[in-house]
Amino acid sequence: MANGYRPEIIQRAFVDFIGSRLHPFWSLTTPKLRLIARYTLSDDLIALRFESNRVFKQQTSELMGGWQGGQYLDLRVCIDGVYYQRSYSIVGLDHQPLWWLDDTTSSNTADQRHTVTIAIKPQGLVSNYLTKQMPLASVVDTSLPLGHFTLEQTSILRHEISENDKSIPLLFIAGGSGITPMLGLITQALSNGHQVALLHYSRTVSSKLQHQWQQLNEAYPDFTYHLIHTEEPTTYLAGTRCLSAEGLLSLNLPLADTQIFACGSQALLAGLYKAAAEITLPTDKQLRDNIIVESFGNALANVDISSNQTFDKTIPVEEHTVYLRSRQRQFSSDTTILAAAENADVRLAHGCRQGICQLCRCNKVSGVVKNIQTGKVSGDGYESIQTCINIAMTDVILDI
């Protein structure tokens, strides 16, 4: 009896397996990247440019319509027979020329291939291998572009900006290599007509990045930038080495209406939230509610049980129960959900434990959680969360 089922005579996975032995870059199902160039952006930041295979091009275009500024890729890299997965920020936007190339390089036919570029700070086994040891033409498996640190995370893209309307101001704050996701975000924001300001705190100076900001400043009058070299007092905002309330106020932005994107270390983000708490806005508004962050670490010490973020390392967290619906398991949690699960001998998927790699992301069916990096409290309904950076504020049910 016909039931509509049509078995594959030859499985696509089998074809992929054979094809990968003939040519590592070829695949019917797996997105792959081939290394074609490296560029030094600063003393501690290297850009890697990859050619993408057909699967990556098709799926990125058909499923996503291209990637957004601020997104990243998960690369799967084999080193001495062991596979490692790491996340790296994408530089720029889909089909955007690389701004650090000169005219002769960008006109080369090899650079007309569909490419994607990531930025890496060499500081570990995998990043050192990618930036210093992996031969050109090497092939790695990759995810499609991932991440929610994008303009679409806010309502700004849904605002219609007429010629008589003033665009919504955006403030980008980056520390060190936290500048990498900002490169595409800033270009996209300026293209959408927004007033943009950049604060970049760094111990090193990058002539290529400075040249990029100068070019954007010349092309877009509404773009301003401040490069704070932490070892050079003449570059400080409001005379202080670190981010402060006085520094934010010195930018002369309408902070109550300004969306803030921040990426960097916990020290930078802690300073931002502390500065935001010291700035008084109109009634019923808090500057911290305008902040969206991407960070390089987390600490439960930075959260309390109320709606306000503190920096007291001794604040207790109330205990709640986390239910895993599919596994029919439950455990008590008075720390991050991931840490509580491990304390109860329950294994959950995870990677970096810092809210970066997204491997711990799962769906929350019900209950309220709080993000220990941003201090934001979730709704009570169904949504996607990361277990490594969220604590339970009520009993929680996860679709795991």
Side-chain angles (χ1 to χ4, degrees):
M1 183 173 63
N3 58 8
Y5 174 66
R6 295 292 184 270
E8 288 183 297
I9 298 176
I10 300 178
Q11 294 289 325
R12 293 165 67 90
F14 175 74
V15 177
D16 263 7
F17 175 79
I18 298 301
S20 66
R21 296 315 188 260
L22 299 174
H23 197 301
F25 198 47
W26 187 86
S27 176
L28 287 175
T29 60
T30 304
K32 294 175 180 286
L33 300 175
R34 178 163 53 198
L35 181 63
I36 58 176
R38 290 186 178 94
Y39 308 94
T40 299
L41 298 184
S42 68
D43 292 342
D44 60 354
L45 199 60
I46 307 295
L48 272 61
R49 194 177 189 198
F50 294 91
E51 178 186 5
S52 59
N53 71 348
R54 179 174 295 184
V55 175
F56 184 94
K57 288 181 282 190
Q58 288 180 340
Q59 294 185 6
T60 300
S61 177
E62 295 173 3
L63 301 180
M64 308 176 62
W67 62 80
Q68 301 292 315
Q71 291 190 302
Y72 63 90
L73 295 174
D74 283 338
L75 299 188
R76 188 166 177 261
V77 183
C78 183
I79 304 175
D80 295 330
V82 179
Y83 281 94
Y84 300 86
Q85 181 170 302
R86 295 293 187 272
S87 302
Y88 298 107
S89 295
I90 301 174
V91 177
L93 303 173
D94 195 8
H95 306 302
Q96 180 192 57
L98 297 176
W99 38 262
W100 60 77
L101 300 182
D102 58 32
D103 292 337
T104 58
T105 305
S106 60
S107 62
N108 189 291
T109 55
D111 292 303
Q112 304 306 314
R113 296 172 289 185
H114 190 278
T115 61
V116 58
T117 304
I118 62 172
I120 299 178
K121 182 178 182 179
Q123 58 181 2
L125 172 67
V126 179
S127 58
N128 278 322
Y129 175 76
L130 289 171
T131 56
K132 301 174 183 178
Q133 301 173 28
M134 190 170 78
L136 292 179
S138 295
V139 175
V140 296
D141 290 352
T142 180
S143 69
L144 295 180
L146 301 167
H148 302 281
F149 189 62
T150 66
L151 298 185
E152 289 185 345
Q153 188 177 182
T154 71
S155 60
I156 55 178
L157 289 185
R158 293 189 288 271
H159 285 263
E160 294 182 1
I161 304 174
S162 68
E163 294 182 357
N164 297 324
D165 292 333
K166 189 173 183 179
S167 62
I168 297 171
L170 303 179
L171 172 60
F172 296 90
I173 302 175
S177 59
I179 194 64
T180 55
M182 304 293 192
L183 300 173
L185 273 172
I186 290 173
T187 304
Q188 187 176 1
L190 290 171
S191 299
N192 290 345
H194 295 282
Q195 177 187 355
V196 173
L198 167 67
L199 298 183
H200 184 199
Y201 291 81
S202 180
R203 292 191 297 268
T204 61
V205 178
S206 169
S207 59
K208 286 187 172 66
L209 290 176
Q210 286 182 328
H211 181 60
Q212 160 73 351
W213 308 136
Q214 291 171 359
Q215 285 185 321
L216 287 178
N217 179 252
E218 294 170 1
Y220 298 95
D222 285 335
F223 174 68
T224 58
Y225 65 97
H226 303 270
L227 306 180
I228 296 89
H229 185 207
T230 53
E231 305 302 326
E232 179 51 62
T234 59
T235 65
Y236 295 169
L237 274 181
T240 59
R241 183 175 185 268
C242 301
L243 188 59
S244 65
E246 293 76 16
L248 290 177
L249 292 171
S250 71
L251 299 175
N252 295 319
L253 293 171
L255 293 177
D257 301 315
T258 298
Q259 181 72 66
I260 301 174
F261 288 83
C263 184
S265 66
Q266 280 296 302
L268 177 75
L269 300 182
L272 172 59
Y273 280 112
K274 185 175 184 296
E278 296 173 358
I279 296 175
T280 302
L281 297 182
T283 308
D284 298 329
K285 283 192 174 184
Q286 291 185 327
L287 185 57
R288 63 172 295 115
D289 294 332
N290 294 2
I291 299 173
I292 297 172
V293 303
E294 188 92 313
S295 71
F296 303 148
N298 63 74
L300 184 58
N302 289 350
V303 68
D304 68 3
I305 209 67
S306 68
S307 60
N308 298 317
Q309 187 167 9
T310 71
F311 303 94
D312 185 350
K313 298 182 181 297
T314 63
I315 291 177
V317 178
E318 185 177 345
E319 186 174 284
H320 295 285
T321 302
V322 177
Y323 300 88
L324 307 183
R325 186 168 67 174
S326 298
R327 298 189 194 179
Q328 295 294 297
R329 295 285 302 274
Q330 68 182 60
F331 53 88
S332 297
S333 177
D334 60 358
T335 179
T336 63
I337 295 174
L338 175 60
E342 292 176 334
N343 291 339
D345 293 325
V346 176
R347 296 187 63 180
L348 298 181
H350 67 276
C352 66
R353 298 176 180 271
Q354 299 178 351
I356 300 173
C357 75
Q358 309 290 320
L359 290 178
C360 69
R361 185 171 289 280
C362 64
N363 291 322
K364 173 177 67 69
V365 178
S366 65
V368 177
V369 298
K370 185 170 185 176
N371 187 308
I372 65 172
Q373 293 183 344
T374 67
K376 290 186 177 180
V377 177
S378 75
D380 188 44
Y382 194 93
E383 62 183 292
S384 177
I385 67 167
Q386 291 172 266
T387 59
C388 73
I389 56 171
N390 277 280
I391 60 173
M393 304 292 289
T394 66
D395 290 349
V396 171
I397 299 176
L398 301 180
D399 192 12
I400 296 177

